[in-house]
Amino acid sequence: NAGVMQNPRHLVRRRGQEARLRCSPMKGHSHVYWYRQLPEEGLKFMVYLQKENIIDESGMPKERFSAEFPKEGPSILRIQQVVRGDSAAYFCASSPTQGAGTDTQYFGPGTRLTVL
Amino acid sequence: AQSVAQPEDQVNVAEGNPLTVKCTYSVSGNPYLFWYVQYPNRGLQFLLKYITGDNLVKGSYGFEAEFNKSQTSFHLKKPSALVSDSALYFCAVREAGGSYIPTFGRGTSLIVHP
């Protein structure tokens, strides 16, 4: 059973360009979470999605950032007009169901975004 | 609101010695507690979780953690450290019946010296 897949693993963009990060959850998982990790700051929640629905985007910046999880295909985190402060590691996690909130999240290897 | 604290940025231990990585939490109700490990340039790997039942939880790679409700702690332990255990360790908490999003600690860097 393949784990959570993320691509690309490394992404370099110039200021003002768009960054598109992809996440394929584990087989059988229908819940996807995106996190951002900055050095010395730990892991910060961004958005929680189910297929075709955004459940919680309370951690997502209001501008330039968007996320989707279509019926078919991977979840996409899109950052428009990137700035240097967007440079970070972005992790995707998936879980099978909400259950009673006890489900473990399984993480992908991350995409390391560098903005020049 | 839920929160978690990892009071040590770094823990140093000699190979073969026992290790402890500390975690304390705060929730209004009952907690669900998780430990993850992150190796350099990798994603987080699940180690163990406490949901209910026995306060001592055993996980992957010989790690265990003890849930202590009175001290609101969930310290990660291993009887004998290996150099390969050197990594970044994250504690996370989620409140039962609350948000489905866990709150992660800032992480503790464990360094095991040969």
Side-chain angles (χ1 to χ4, degrees), chain B:
Chain B
Q2 59 192 34
S3 65
V4 63
Q6 293 182 242
E8 303 155 316
D9 290 335
Q10 184 171 303
V11 170
N12 291 277
V13 64
E15 187 174 30
N17 284 359
L19 69 87
T20 299
V21 183
K22 295 180 180 177
C23 171
T24 57
Y25 67 89
S26 175
V27 295
S28 300
N30 292 320
Y32 298 146
L33 294 152
F34 305 80
W35 274 103
Y36 289 83
V37 59
Q38 184 182 30
Y39 297 100
N41 298 315
R42 303 285 294 277
L44 278 68
Q45 295 179 33
F46 170 73
L47 279 179
L48 51 81
K49 67 181 178 183
Y50 170 82
I51 303 300
T52 187
D54 195 345
N55 289 344
L56 185 64
V57 179
K58 293 188 182 296
S60 307
Y61 313 121
F63 284 92
E64 59 188 28
E66 185 168 12
F67 171 61
N68 187 317
K69 189 171 184 177
S70 63
Q71 297 185 4
T72 61
S73 67
F74 190 56
H75 300 331
L76 182 70
K77 299 181 180 183
K78 187 173 182 181
S80 179
L82 300 172
V83 173
S84 57
D85 292 329
S86 298
L88 193 57
Y89 290 80
F90 289 95
C91 181
V93 67
R94 189 160 59 200
E95 182 176 342
S99 169
Y100 291 107
I101 310 302
T103 297
F104 285 81
R106 291 175 56 128
T108 297
S109 177
L110 172 67
I111 300 174
V112 181
H113 302 277

Side-chain angles (χ1 to χ4, degrees), chain A residues 3-23:
Chain A
V4 179
M5 310 283 282
Q6 288 187 252
N7 68 81
R9 294 292 307 276
H10 300 273
L11 182 61
V12 179
R13 286 287 178 265
R14 297 190 180 279
R15 282 179 296 170
Q17 291 184 321
E18 178 179 284
R20 192 172 291 203
L21 288 62
R22 296 175 186 78
C23 169

